[in-house]
Amino acid sequence: MLPLNQDNAKQQMRKGVLELCILAIIAQEEVYPSDILQRLKDAELIVVEGTLYPLLTRLKNAGLVEYTWRESASGPPRKYFKITESGAALLGELRQGWQQLVVSVSKITDHIPV
Amino acid sequence: MKKVTHINLGGQPFTIDDDAYEALSQYMEAIHRQFRKSEGYEEITHDIEVRMAELFLQRMGGRVIIDRNDVDVIVGIMGRPSEFSEESVPESETYFEEPQEEPHTEGGNQWGSGIKTGKRLYRDTESKVVAGVCSGLSAYFGIQDPVWLRLAFAIGVISGGFGVVLYIILWAIIPAAKTAADRLAMRGEPIDIHSIAKDIEEGVQTFSEKFNNTFDKKNKGKWKKKWHEKQNKFNHKWDQHKEEWERRYGSSEPQSRRDDDRVLWADKSSRGYNDSAFLYHQPDVLQAVIPQAMDWALLGRFALIAFFFCLSMLTLIKIGQWWAGIPTNSQEWEALSAALQWNW
């Protein structure tokens, strides 16, 4: 019997909702990656920063978000991300899916005494 | 006192200690390896570089030179490449903890994704007596102390000289462990930044130990000269190691770096190496070294082997003739044919 790796299971859960959260952050306002990282870290959703970049690139390649270059006061120009129409549509669906999941999971786990 | 290097990270200039540079470039290499086959490879790696530059700027404040500790901290924030690739957690592999069957080959695999090590046979030129064959073999077969193998070879040398031939053949066919990565592969340890750093530190330590031991003896002048020779040799080796990295990964332009990788990959697939289990276990660093193995020194050694081989064969034939009573010159032949009354 293979022992289940607890940290890994949690990490998997986090990864699953990360896309939804990134889309949600970008939908609120135009942000650049370091802003997104800050918000994700505040919410304790992300542990290592490197996780964001492949995800962001994939969202962009899928046409869910887009970016524009902007000059910054310090350092090189930054990529500011904003959500596209299809991204907004997906975000709506993902949120619905999340709500459903919360309801479904709590239906089962709420009855278990901790 | 340390040497420093100037680098361009994500479009920002930095001054960095040499050891910190080593660590950072290996980390970047691990990242490149991780995303090499991903869509948007250049964009991802570039964005990560930019972010790292930003983190360094924040961390440095007024300080000018990045040291090893800074690199460790920033790398800690960014995370291991194997952690942050989205495809990196296929259920079958990491969702469950794998039973540890072979700690040597699965190893820690700490930073890179594909950096798995199988043990490889190398000559350990850092703890050598003649050419490091025995210490390399000991490392490969997990023998704690190479002295036993050396003893066996010594016996082989005394009893008939076969040990000499065998040793020289092994010398020629077993490559020397040139880089730190080689040395780790030799011991079957995982190749990551920590183990490489450890290996280099150990190398410096054993080196200085050796020096101290010999220096304690009285005749300082002689050893002083030898020390300088060794020091030069060591520096030269260090430079070689660094040049290898710089040649392959040092260019600041991502495009050319990628081309370099493409060549490497194309090279491999054209030789049909991709499927072979042997090279699957080899990190690219090693693969870069393998094609260069055929050099003049090697050719010289081959010539030497051929010579000794012929020599030993001739000796064996003579011994055989003598043992079997076959005549070795014409007079003996005549005597023999006369005795047997052969009619030619």
Side-chain angles (χ1 to χ4, degrees), chain B residues 94-276:
Chain B
T94 38
Y95 194 62
F96 297 103
E97 268 178 25
E98 279 189 278
Q100 298 263 316
E101 289 167 17
E102 284 184 297
H104 274 309
T105 49
E106 268 315 311
N109 192 15
Q110 196 151 12
W111 281 14
S113 59
I115 319 181
K116 287 180 180 165
T117 56
K119 263 196 181 182
R120 286 212 61 202
L121 188 51
Y122 281 105
R123 285 186 289 113
D124 186 355
T125 51
E126 259 168 44
S127 55
K128 67 175 180 181
V129 172
V130 180
V133 170
C134 290
S135 43
L137 281 171
S138 303
Y140 187 77
F141 292 113
I143 301 165
Q144 287 283 321
D145 194 341
V147 81
W148 298 112
L149 265 179
R150 284 185 189 130
L151 208 65
F153 266 100
I155 291 166
V157 170
I158 296 162
S159 58
F162 180 66
V164 179
V165 179
L166 184 66
Y167 192 92
I168 291 169
I169 290 173
L170 288 173
W171 185 349
I173 54 182
I174 302 173
K178 282 177 192 154
T179 64
D182 289 351
R183 299 178 47 72
L184 291 166
M186 179 179 76
R187 296 197 296 257
E189 286 175 18
I191 297 178
D192 59 47
I193 188 71
H194 296 299
S195 55
I196 285 178
K198 202 179 112 216
D199 180 78
I200 289 173
E201 273 165 25
E202 274 172 9
V204 174
Q205 259 170 22
T206 55
F207 180 58
S208 55
E209 269 168 27
K210 258 189 204 168
F211 171 63
N212 284 338
N213 286 344
T214 49
F215 204 72
D216 282 343
K217 295 167 189 168
K218 290 284 143 52
N219 42 1
K220 288 188 180 176
K222 189 179 153 198
W223 286 114
K224 211 167 189 175
K225 200 181 157 202
K226 210 160 183 184
W227 156 247
H228 279 299
E229 271 170 23
K230 283 210 165 188
Q231 202 175 24
N232 285 339
K233 218 168 153 188
F234 183 77
N235 286 343
H236 179 64
K237 217 167 134 190
W238 182 267
D239 288 343
Q240 266 184 337
H241 190 62
K242 252 178 54 185
E243 267 168 33
E244 176 66 20
W245 275 107
E246 277 164 13
R247 190 177 65 73
R248 299 194 59 231
Y249 306 111
S251 78
S252 55
E253 191 65 42
Q255 183 60 47
S256 61
R257 202 178 295 166
R258 178 126 204 229
D259 285 341
D260 189 13
D261 286 339
R262 276 205 202 105
V263 170
L264 253 155
W265 279 100
D267 199 33
K268 267 183 275 175
S269 51
S270 70
R271 290 183 194 184
Y273 279 174
N274 264 347
D275 297 333
S276 88

Side-chain angles (χ1 to χ4, degrees), chain B residues 13-34:
Chain B
F14 289 100
T15 308
I16 183 168
D17 273 346
D18 268 12
D19 55 341
Y21 170 76
E22 201 78 10
L24 185 62
S25 53
Q26 298 199 16
Y27 178 68
M28 292 323 262
E29 149 68 1
I31 288 177
H32 281 267
R33 197 196 308 273
Q34 175 77 29

Side-chain angles (χ1 to χ4, degrees), chain A residues 7-22 40 44-48 50-52 54-55 58-59 94 98, chain B residues 34-35 80-90 94-95:
Chain A
D7 285 339
N8 233 326
K10 283 183 184 167
Q11 198 185 344
Q12 288 272 320
M13 286 188 202
R14 241 188 267 129
K15 269 189 180 162
V17 293
L18 206 52
E19 232 163 290
L20 163 63
C21 294
I22 292 172
L40 288 174
E44 290 179 29
L45 264 167
I46 204 168
V47 182
V48 291
T51 319
L52 176 70
L55 261 176
R58 210 183 56 172
L59 291 178
L94 283 181
W98 173 246
Chain B
Q34 175 77 29
F35 293 114
R80 303 197 292 266
S82 54
E83 275 179 321
F84 58 65
S85 168
E86 50 202 303
E87 308 97 80
S88 76
V89 201
T94 38
Y95 194 62

Side-chain angles (χ1 to χ4, degrees), chain A residues 56-100:
Chain A
L56 215 49
T57 305
R58 210 183 56 172
L59 291 178
K60 189 214 70 179
N61 287 343
L64 302 169
V65 299
E66 59 191 12
Y67 65 78
T68 46
W69 289 98
R70 285 202 208 152
E71 291 298 326
S72 88
S74 62
R78 294 166 170 178
K79 284 177 184 172
Y80 273 84
F81 284 86
K82 71 175 177 203
I83 203 156
T84 62
E85 263 179 47
S86 57
L90 180 72
L91 176 60
E93 280 179 29
L94 283 181
R95 276 180 70 175
Q96 248 182 10
W98 173 246
Q99 299 292 356
Q100 276 170 5

